């Protein structure tokens, strides 16, 4: 079962395809405990697919994903997930409190209602992201950053050690981005491993301990200094080099 | 009064219609909520149409093998099978070809409906199915067996939905998370489709093929306009289903019209009324909200006016400087006090701390825009008026960009001090 390995997520030779096109090709990466890891790469690079494979939501063509040493497809509930904002139906009749409670669904037996401890856990999770005052709001009535924080609360309420976030910073302003990052860092200090899909190279070095650079294949995994190399980025983002010169230089300074 | 309301209640056919219709409406409303939220409305339609093939098939098989005439459970089972085959064919075609799902639904349900119609007419001497009855339904002629069937279906489906409420809620709202915590998402999909099929099958004999989808989705959609929680939405949908049946049946007796039609007509009118007056998502509420919305421009103009006046400002002064042709000013002032931007000092208004920060930001934007206009060679007399329009453009770091570009100036072209930025 659970081996005492320093790695919480072990991906070996992962290949996932949609029809003839490989979304991920032979990706192998091992992610250590208590890290804030950014997944970067251009649009359509397979970043979301990578997250879904770790979740065990898609079956790889070949390769394995191990979560705490166990198969990802069977390791239900060890990984919590924060969806992309665009993937959520914001008109769904559901309140903030109910979304946070969803994080507890796995612990609630199917024949009972949520218990007082579940309400407690959901409230604590909302407090952690400072959304406890909005419990009765319908989720569509919140601002973009608040919506993101509610789903973060849901992931925290799940109590999993691994959190996967798909583009949490997309479409929020700078102050909100800070607030979200703050919650992520506190979660890391509480002993969670976070894997975050991120699109903004300019902030990647500042936000994350480790970066995964993918475009179908794995181009690099390591510290931002190691990954944000001009030659690597040039290979991944063909023809858009000019932008990265700045990134690389900023990083060097 | 007695004639209108009580007399119909003493008739057995009316009682049966009321009971049968209400049972079906309750369960259709509850299931319908999930159908609406999952955008499967068309599927309900497809299932209803596919049924006729199943009914004909069930009739034929039971008659040929067991010699039973119009065996209800046989026909029910046939309908279910036809519904499942239709769903399977739809997803098969959508998955393996470039045909999208809505087209696949359109092809399959008309095809299977046609198969049923042809079968019924070929075997018309052998099996006795009234196509008109099937298409229009006959709620005023509900048989006891129909009542029992729908009662069992309703009990079964409601039990499933109540027990697995959280499962259906999560699988509908966020299937990826549902799968990640180990819910059998695919099984739940099949279970829901089966429930929808059961409900449709039990409702067709009352309201007919064409109207059944309305009974499934209209009460649910009506409830959707009124609720922010799924459990509440389901309760309301059930309620609206029952009121549709009750209202529709009275309508049908009074107007001497077709039962199914009257029910759906009442149901639709009920939806339209709610659409108009729903407190949060209704048209009236939306219109009022838009009307009540204070234009940001008026708010910002008030802020800068009070700031420039420095100190408590009489309304008369604000009126001279704030451009207000829609009569928004009084409301704007009230709104700003509520938002903590202004406070009232006797008859006058003054800025709160928050208002002061906002006003200074505005002034800074205004003066930077003036500086910018001056720099790009705008005629002197136009600078103020144009900057007054442009000062409202502040999102996305526009003002800081100007500041940067102009080399962080201290004064505007008129020599006035540009306040420092803060957010």
């Amino acid at each position: 079962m659970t081996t005492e390995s320093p790695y919480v997520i072990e991906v070996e030779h992962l290949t996932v395809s949609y029809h003839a096109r490989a979304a991920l090709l032979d990706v192998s990466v091992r992610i250590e405990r208590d890290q804030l890891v950014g997944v970067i790469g251009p649009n359509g690079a397979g970043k979301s697919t990578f997250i879904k494979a770790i979740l065990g939501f898609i079956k790889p063509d070949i390769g394995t994903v191990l979560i705490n040493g166990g198969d990802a497809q069977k390791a239900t509930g060890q990984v919590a997930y924060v969806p992309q904002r665009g993937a959520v139906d914001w008109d769904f009749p559901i309140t903030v409190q109910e979304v946070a409670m969803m994080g507890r669904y796995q612990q609630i037996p199917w024949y009972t209602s949520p218990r007082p401890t579940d309400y407690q856990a959901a409230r604590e999770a909302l407090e952690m992201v400072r959304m406890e005052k909005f419990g009765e709001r319908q989720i569509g009535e919140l601002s973009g950053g608040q919506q993101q924080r509610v789903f973060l609360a849901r992931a925290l309420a799940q109590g999993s050690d691994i959190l996967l976030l798909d583009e949490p910073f997309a479409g929020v302003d700078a102050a909100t981005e800070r607030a979200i990052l703050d919650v992520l860092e506190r979660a890391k200090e509480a002993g969670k491993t976070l894997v975050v899909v991120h699109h903004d190279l300019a902030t990647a070095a500042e936000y994350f301990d480790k970066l995964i650079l993918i475009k179908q294949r794995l181009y690099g995994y390591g510290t931002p200094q190691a990954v944000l190399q001009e030659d690597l980025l040039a290979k991944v983002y063909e023809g858009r080099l000019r932008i990265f010169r700045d990134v690389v230089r900023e990083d060097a300074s | 009064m007695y004639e209108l309301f009580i007399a119909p209640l003493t008739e057995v056919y009316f009682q049966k219609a009321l009971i049968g219709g209400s049972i079906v409406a309750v369960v259709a409303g509850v299931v319908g909520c999930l159908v609406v939220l999952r955008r499967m409305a068309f599927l309900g339609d497809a299932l209803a149409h596919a049924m006729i093939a199943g009914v004909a098939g069930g009739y034929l098989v039971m008659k040929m093998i067991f010699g039973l005439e119009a065996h209800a459970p046989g026909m029910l089972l046939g309908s279910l099978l036809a519904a499942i085959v239709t769903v399977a064919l739809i997803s098969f075609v959508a998955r393996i070809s470039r045909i999208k799902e809505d087209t696949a639904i359109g092809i399959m349900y008309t095809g299977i409906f046609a198969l049923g119609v042809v079968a019924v007419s070929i075997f018309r001497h052998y099996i006795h199915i009234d196509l008109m009855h099937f298409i229009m339904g006959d709620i005023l002629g509900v048989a006891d067996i129909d009542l029992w069937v729908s009662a069992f279906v309703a009990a079964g489906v409601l039990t499933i939905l109540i027990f697995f409420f959280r499962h259906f809620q999560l699988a509908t709202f966020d299937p990826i998370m549902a799968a990640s915590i180990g819910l059998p998402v695919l099984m739940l999909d099949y279970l829901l489709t089966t429930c929808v099929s059961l409900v449709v099958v039990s409702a067709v004999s009352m309201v007919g093929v064409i109207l059944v989808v309305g009974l499934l989705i209209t009460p649910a959609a009506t409830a959707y306009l009124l609720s922010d929680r799924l459990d509440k939405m389901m309760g309301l949908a059930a309620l609206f289903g029952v009121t549709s049946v009750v209202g529709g049946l009275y309508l049908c007796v009074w107007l001497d019209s077709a039962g199914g039609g009257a029910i759906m007509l009442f149901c639709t009118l009920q939806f339209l009324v709610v659409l108009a007056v729903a407190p949060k998502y209704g048209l009236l509420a939306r219109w009022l909200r838009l009307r009540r919305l204070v234009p940001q421009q008026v708010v910002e103009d008030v802020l800068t006016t009070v700031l420039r006046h420095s100190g408590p400002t009489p309304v008369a002064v604000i009126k001279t400087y704030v451009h207000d042709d829609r009569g928004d000013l009084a409301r704007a002032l009230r709104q700003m006090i509520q938002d903590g931007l202004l406070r009232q000092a006797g008859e006058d208004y003054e800025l709160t701390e928050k208002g002061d920060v906002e006003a200074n930001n505005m002034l800074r934007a205004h003066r930077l825009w003036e500086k910018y206009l001056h720099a790009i060679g705008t005629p002197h007399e136009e600078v103020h008026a144009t900057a007054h329009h442009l000062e409202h453009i502040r999102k996305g770091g526009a003002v800081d960009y100007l500041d940067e570009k102009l080399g962080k100036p201290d004064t505007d072209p008129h020599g006035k001090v540009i306040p420092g930025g803060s957010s």
Side-chain angles (χ1 to χ4, degrees), chain B residues 204-339:
Chain B
V204 159
S205 61
M206 304 196 194
V207 293
V209 168
I210 299 173
L211 299 180
V212 66
V213 71
L215 207 54
L216 199 61
I217 63 170
T218 311
T222 313
Y224 186 39
L225 293 174
L226 291 170
S227 27
D228 281 340
R229 296 176 67 114
L230 183 56
D231 43 7
K232 211 178 126 196
M233 175 175 166
M234 285 176 162
L236 277 176
L239 179 72
F240 285 131
V242 172
T243 55
S244 306
V245 168
V246 174
L249 282 176
Y250 274 110
L251 213 60
C252 141
V253 172
W254 296 336
L255 304 176
D256 192 19
S257 72
I263 289 175
M264 276 325 297
L265 185 64
F266 191 91
C267 193
T268 310
L269 290 176
Q270 185 176 258
F271 169 78
L272 290 176
V273 169
V274 171
L275 178 67
V277 303
K280 202 153 142 196
Y281 304 113
L283 297 180
L284 191 66
R286 191 185 136 89
W287 180 74
L288 281 175
R289 228 181 2 254
L290 283 180
R291 229 183 72 94
R292 225 179 299 140
L293 205 67
V294 176
Q296 185 62 19
Q297 187 144 359
V298 174
V299 171
E300 295 183 348
D301 288 351
V302 170
L303 283 176
T304 42
T305 307
V306 178
L307 181 71
R308 286 205 177 95
H309 193 77
S310 54
T313 314
V315 181
V317 175
I318 298 177
K319 268 196 185 133
T320 37
Y321 288 104
V322 175
H323 185 70
D324 170 43
D325 43 23
R326 277 182 47 197
D328 288 322
L329 186 59
R331 218 169 48 238
L333 290 174
R334 264 202 310 280
Q335 184 66 45
M336 289 171 72
I337 290 173
Q338 205 173 27
D339 292 347

Side-chain angles (χ1 to χ4, degrees), chain B residues 59-172:
Chain B
Y59 197 132
L60 267 179
V61 168
M62 293 314 284
K63 180 148 181 180
M64 290 201 303
I65 300 177
F66 301 104
L68 293 166
E69 193 76 38
H71 187 246
M75 292 195 289
L76 186 70
L77 207 63
S79 316
L80 260 188
L81 276 176
I84 290 164
V85 168
T86 313
V87 173
L89 279 174
I90 289 168
S91 56
F92 177 71
V93 170
R95 189 143 14 96
I96 60 136
S97 74
R98 64 185 300 196
I99 307 277
K100 303 292 179 288
E101 193 170 27
D102 57 335
T103 309
I105 290 175
I107 294 167
M108 287 308 155
Y109 93 71
T110 48
I112 292 188
F113 182 64
L115 176 72
V117 171
V118 169
V120 169
S121 47
I122 289 177
F123 297 103
R124 63 183 168 277
H125 303 299
Y126 199 60
I127 56 178
H128 307 284
I129 294 175
D130 182 2
L131 269 181
M132 258 337 261
H133 172 171
F134 197 79
I135 291 169
M136 298 305 293
D138 184 11
I139 194 161
L140 299 181
V142 175
D144 285 352
I145 180 85
D146 286 340
L147 276 185
W148 283 111
V149 166
S150 55
F152 274 115
V153 165
V157 169
L158 284 178
T159 309
I160 289 172
L161 288 180
I162 289 169
F163 264 123
F164 297 108
F165 173 80
R166 287 194 303 273
H167 297 64
F168 281 117
Q169 181 198 37
L170 184 54
T172 304

Side-chain angles (χ1 to χ4, degrees), chain A residues 169-229:
Chain A
F169 301 119
V172 300
D173 60 42
T176 310
E177 190 159 329
R178 268 281 142 215
I180 295 172
L181 187 68
D182 219 48
V183 178
L184 297 189
E185 267 163 2
R186 270 190 288 149
K188 188 185 92 177
E189 276 154 28
K192 314 255 181 207
T193 308
L194 298 104
V195 180
V196 181
V197 174
H198 191 58
H199 65 284
D200 185 8
L201 278 180
T203 50
E206 180 196 346
Y207 289 180
F208 301 108
D209 305 326
K210 292 276 179 69
L211 289 177
I212 297 176
L213 179 63
I214 47 175
K215 189 176 110 185
Q216 278 73 55
R217 299 198 289 113
L218 180 76
Y219 280 81
Y221 172 61
T223 59
Q225 285 84 347
V227 173
L228 294 174
Q229 296 292 330

Side-chain angles (χ1 to χ4, degrees), chain A residues 52 55 57 76-77 81 89 91-95 98 102 105-106 108-110 112 138 141 151 154 158, chain B residues 37 39 163 166-167 169-170 172-177 179-182 224 227-230 233 280-281:
Chain A
K52 283 176 192 159
L55 267 175
F57 186 67
T76 52
Y81 169 67
D89 174 8
D91 288 330
F92 199 91
I94 193 165
T95 61
E98 283 181 297
M102 280 182 164
Y105 277 9
Q106 197 181 17
I108 308 171
W110 63 275
T112 66
Q138 194 266 338
E141 297 168 32
F151 278 86
R154 183 180 79 172
Q158 274 183 267
Chain B
L37 291 172
R39 292 161 209 188
F163 264 123
R166 287 194 303 273
H167 297 64
Q169 181 198 37
L170 184 54
T172 304
F173 180 61
D174 189 349
I176 296 181
M177 179 191 169
S180 85
I181 66 166
Y224 186 39
S227 27
D228 281 340
R229 296 176 67 114
L230 183 56
M233 175 175 166
K280 202 153 142 196
Y281 304 113

Side-chain angles (χ1 to χ4, degrees), chain A residues 18 47-58 81 166, chain B residues 176:
Chain A
Y18 297 116
K47 299 186 296 270
S48 292
T49 307
F50 181 67
I51 292 280
K52 283 176 192 159
I54 298 179
L55 267 175
F57 186 67
I58 36 181
Y81 169 67
D166 203 347
Chain B
I176 296 181

